Amino acid sequence: MTPTTWAAADLLDRGRVTRLLQAYGVYAALVVLFAVAAALDSSFLSAGNVRIQLFQVAPTLMVALGMALVIGTEGVDLSVGAVIALAASVVPLYLGYGAPLAVLLALLAGAVCGAVGGTMVAFARIQPIVATLSLMIGLRGVAELINGNSAKPVTDSGLLSLGADQVAGVPVMAWITAVCAVLTALLVRRTTFGRQLVAIGDNRQASKLAGLPVRRVLVTVYVLSGVLAAFAGAMIVGHGAEADPANQGLNMELNAITAVVVGGTPLTGGRIRVLGTVAGALFMQLITAVLTQHDVHTSYTQLVEAAIICFAVYASQERRTR
Amino acid sequence: MSPSALRPATLPPRPTSGAAQPAALRERLASQVQRRGALAVLVLMVAVASATSPTFPTWSNISGILGSNAFVWLLALGMTFVILTGGIDLSVGSMYALGGVVAAYGAHTGGTWSAVALPLVTGAVWGAVQGLLVARARMAPFIVTLAGLLGARGLLQALTNEGATTYLVPAGSAFRHLGEGTWVPVLIVAVLFALGALLLTRTRFGATVTAIGGNENAASLMGLPVARTKVLVYVLSATTAAAAGALGSARLGSGVTTIGVGYELTAIASVVIGGTLLTGGSGSVGGTVSGVLVLAVIHNLIDHYFSQYGSAFTDTVNGAFLAVVVLAQTLLSRARQAD
């Protein structure tokens, strides 16, 4: 790099540019993407298409909200896809007692899974990636055992309306997810728990010395992630009118992590961008949709997604001084 | 494998004074259990299985265990090196599939030599990119290789027109001999594992790998080539995975696009069960061999005794087993580092 470019970079103040990119890059990218997509295809902004995108992004975003909390504590939850499968196996079991109870029991199952993972992380001090990896492998097996290895059709009207109904033209799923996003943002910004959570992600040792209830907060975070994933599972089952633990929720952990990272939450913990996560999930959803609608093969879509993840992580990294 | 003098001291020096004796003993015991626990479990399982089932110790069953998965085990070999540096490689399952397809493509279009060279080059280049992102751009290995997992699958789909094109390895190709029967694959895998063990314990590169996992900053201050070694570790892992895929396609006669999903998890599980710490710095190739075999024997036993429950049951047991092993590993390494 020549001296002149360095001077130009100094004028722009590299640090500030990086910080701005971290904080608002995903929104800018989303706006650009929207503009490009709408320019390329006039039907992109049609109510029908927007609704389809909302249907598809809602479960991913639901999971990503929990994932953002976990990543904020410098953890990661690989078990969410398997928890979705578990929800898909638990819900049909109890649909006879009505959809609300069935969903509630699925949430309970998700909470238990989260508690197990959280306990492994908080008390046994196992690395999150490994603790939740063992859950990821084991839980899908459990889900398939419960369900008997086959996809089951779901006909319960309550669950189907959770998955497919609309209120004011917007899917119920999207409404619920939006409410959860607001609640998550409030939880992070406005509650003691949220502050403790972020502090623990920033420096666990110091938080412990400062007397924060580190273990309790960590377990709670994983429980929340499990509950949100289970609810996403219920929505997926309702939307597809089918419970298929072998296939539902596959790769969901990757999608959720991607949404969080693209949204500007650093993987190193200590900072959570809830709104950014919403934008990140929307961005990844729209990228996929735009590429698919313009007949780009899935293979290239995957390559593009991989490149975006890499770029987002690189951009969201704290610059170390050397 | 002897405790190597080349391996840098990642453990604190053992106290020899009388007062510290019990702690030193406990520490040594924990270290032994951690290193050889998988072997002990393996021996125990084989003994019990041989005693209770007349079909377990038969020739056909054993060659089934060894032959059917042999090439997949190579993923664990490369993964051992990555994990020893404190990293992780989630892309190996995709690389395995990609290597297979590229090899079949090479055999189909160019002949035996391109069938061998193409996957190796693909793996090396892919690994180098991942390694550079980890070592130079200082990105989290987890996320780099996650992108690698997606990207390699994408490349694979592009190469096969979304799985619509299947490249066959020509029937007469010498390449096919590499995957024939039981013993050729097992021999190849055994030789590569032996080379891996030598690489880790007898070379400067191996010592550097362990040193980086023990304490990256210290390794850097000692003047060890940290960045270069980290890049090489990812190159090694991706190349091994691609080579494993190539050998697999030699066995099957074609590159299978849908193969390898979730194999990275099996590889990580094998390495961890084999006593290599996920935080890096401590572990061995021999341990990984034990870990691989423990999982293979468990798989075989479940198939034998609980076949009516199917693969779901296998997954459940694998997950539970992994959880228990990791818990034990964590407790053991804490016992080692106590006081």
Side-chain angles (χ1 to χ4, degrees):
Chain A
M1 209 170 275
T2 59
T4 38
T5 41
W6 274 118
D10 283 344
L11 273 178
L12 278 168
D13 186 357
R14 277 165 60 95
R16 205 174 66 194
V17 170
T18 313
R19 274 198 303 279
L20 284 174
L21 196 65
Q22 270 181 37
Y24 303 109
V26 64
Y27 306 114
L30 194 57
V31 169
V32 171
L33 179 63
F34 241 104
V36 171
L40 285 176
D41 179 3
S42 54
S43 68
F44 184 79
L45 287 176
S46 71
N49 185 49
V50 169
R51 208 173 293 139
I52 289 172
Q53 305 308 325
L54 286 177
F55 268 123
Q56 294 197 343
V57 82
T60 313
L61 178 54
M62 196 63 131
V63 175
L65 291 173
M67 187 68 78
L69 296 181
V70 175
I71 289 180
T73 65
E74 207 180 355
V76 72
D77 188 353
L78 297 183
S79 70
V80 287
V83 171
I84 288 175
L86 189 66
S89 69
V90 168
V91 166
L93 281 186
Y94 301 100
L95 268 182
Y97 303 100
L101 185 71
V103 172
L104 202 65
L105 286 171
L107 296 188
L108 193 66
V112 171
C113 299
V116 172
T119 306
M120 284 164 86
V121 171
F123 287 90
R125 281 192 275 160
I126 297 173
Q127 281 173 300
I129 183 172
V130 193
T132 55
L133 173 67
S134 61
L135 278 177
M136 173 183 174
I137 298 175
L139 280 183
R140 193 170 287 275
V142 173
E144 287 177 51
L145 281 181
I146 293 175
N147 190 277
N149 278 341
S150 60
K152 288 179 181 163
V154 170
T155 50
D156 182 272
S157 60
L159 199 64
L160 292 183
S161 62
L162 170 72
D165 275 7
Q166 300 160 25
V167 172
V170 175
V172 174
M173 280 160 73
W175 281 117
I176 296 176
T177 309
V179 169
C180 285
V182 172
L183 289 179
T184 309
L186 290 176
L187 182 76
V188 172
R189 292 277 178 101
R190 297 267 184 262
T191 65
T192 318
F193 175 80
R195 280 158 206 274
Q196 289 174 339
L197 192 168
V198 173
I200 290 168
D202 197 31
N203 192 335
R204 189 165 162 181
Q205 199 62 34
S207 306
K208 200 171 190 171
L209 292 174
L212 299 187
V214 173
R215 291 172 166 177
R216 200 180 69 206
V217 172
L218 281 177
V219 173
T220 314
V221 164
Y222 284 88
V223 168
L224 284 175
S225 172
V227 170
L228 288 169
F231 196 79
M235 296 199 298
I236 290 171
V237 170
H239 188 63
E242 180 187 53
D244 181 8
N247 296 308
Q248 280 167 345
L250 276 181
N251 283 338
M252 193 55 110
E253 59 285 332
L254 305 188
N255 295 343
I257 294 169
T258 306
V260 174
V261 169
V262 170
T265 302
L267 278 169
T268 44
R271 176 179 297 167
I272 301 173
R273 295 188 192 279
V274 177
L275 198 58
T277 301
V278 176
L282 283 173
F283 180 76
M284 294 310 287
Q285 171 64 37
L286 290 184
I287 276 275
T288 315
V290 168
L291 290 176
T292 323
Q293 279 165 8
H294 289 274
D295 289 334
V296 177
H297 276 312
T298 335
S299 46
Y300 298 105
T301 318
Q302 271 171 325
L303 282 172
V304 171
E305 283 174 3
I308 292 173
I309 297 175
C310 275
F311 177 75
V313 172
Y314 187 72
S316 72
Q317 262 180 335
E318 306 285 336
R319 291 276 160 272
R320 288 183 190 81
T321 45
R322 303 212 186 148
Chain B
M1 251 162 287
S2 64
S4 164
L6 277 168
R7 179 170 296 167
T10 53
L11 299 176
R14 292 189 177 119
T16 45
S17 66
Q21 211 60 44
L25 186 67
R26 189 184 61 186
E27 182 192 293
R28 202 174 309 172
L29 194 66
S31 147
Q32 284 301 320
V33 175
Q34 194 163 47
R35 278 198 206 155
R36 314 209 193 280
L39 190 59
V41 170
L42 178 66
V43 170
L44 195 70
M45 278 195 328
V46 169
V48 171
S50 306
T52 57
S53 155
T55 49
F56 181 80
T58 59
W59 183 246
S60 68
N61 189 47
I62 290 174
S63 66
I65 295 177
L66 294 177
S68 59
N69 293 316
F71 297 135
V72 177
W73 294 344
L74 290 176
L75 307 191
L77 176 63
M79 187 72 78
T80 309
F81 282 82
V82 176
I83 290 183
L84 272 171
T85 64
I88 201 151
D89 189 349
L90 298 182
S91 70
V92 290
S94 297
M95 277 318 289
Y96 179 79
L98 182 61
V101 168
V102 168
Y105 174 79
H108 180 76
T109 53
T112 305
W113 282 112
S114 54
V116 175
L118 267 180
L120 293 181
V121 171
T122 312
V125 170
W126 198 267
V129 172
Q130 293 189 151
L132 284 170
L133 287 175
V134 170
R136 295 280 178 205
R138 294 174 170 267
M139 290 166 60
F142 166 65
I143 211 80
V144 169
T145 56
L146 176 61
L149 177 153
L150 289 173
R153 278 271 157 214
L155 203 59
L156 166 81
Q157 297 288 345
L159 202 65
T160 58
N161 303 319
E162 310 288 313
T165 312
T166 306
Y167 300 104
L168 294 176
V169 179
S173 170
F175 183 61
R176 291 196 75 153
H177 294 314
L178 290 173
E180 268 176 1
T182 302
W183 296 109
V184 177
V186 171
L187 200 66
I188 293 174
V189 171
V191 167
L192 288 176
F193 264 92
L195 288 177
L198 288 177
L199 184 66
L200 185 61
T201 55
R202 296 269 173 262
T203 65
R204 190 180 289 268
F205 170 75
T208 311
V209 165
T210 316
I212 290 173
N215 188 334
E216 191 171 331
N217 283 335
S220 179
L221 290 172
M222 279 197 297
L224 295 176
V226 171
R228 194 179 72 202
T229 307
K230 277 170 101 175
V231 174
L232 283 177
V233 161
Y234 287 90
V235 170
L236 185 70
S237 176
T239 312
T240 322
L247 292 169
S249 81
R251 183 185 186 82
L252 298 170
S254 71
V256 181
T257 48
T258 52
I259 216 166
V261 175
Y263 282 17
E264 62 283 346
L265 305 180
T266 315
I268 295 168
S270 305
V271 174
V272 173
I273 289 169
T276 299
L277 291 185
L278 262 159
T279 41
S282 172
S284 67
V285 170
T288 299
V289 175
S290 308
V292 158
L293 289 175
V294 164
L295 281 182
V297 170
I298 288 185
H299 219 283
N300 183 260
L301 289 179
I302 291 172
D303 277 355
H304 185 262
Y305 285 109
F306 305 102
S307 56
Q308 69 270 33
Y309 299 122
S311 67
F313 192 74
T314 315
D315 288 346
T316 311
V317 173
N318 276 347
F321 189 72
L322 181 62
V324 170
V325 168
V326 171
L327 188 63
Q329 294 283 14
T330 314
L331 294 178
L332 285 169
S333 68
R334 213 179 299 162
R336 277 172 69 177
Q337 285 155 5
D339 44 60

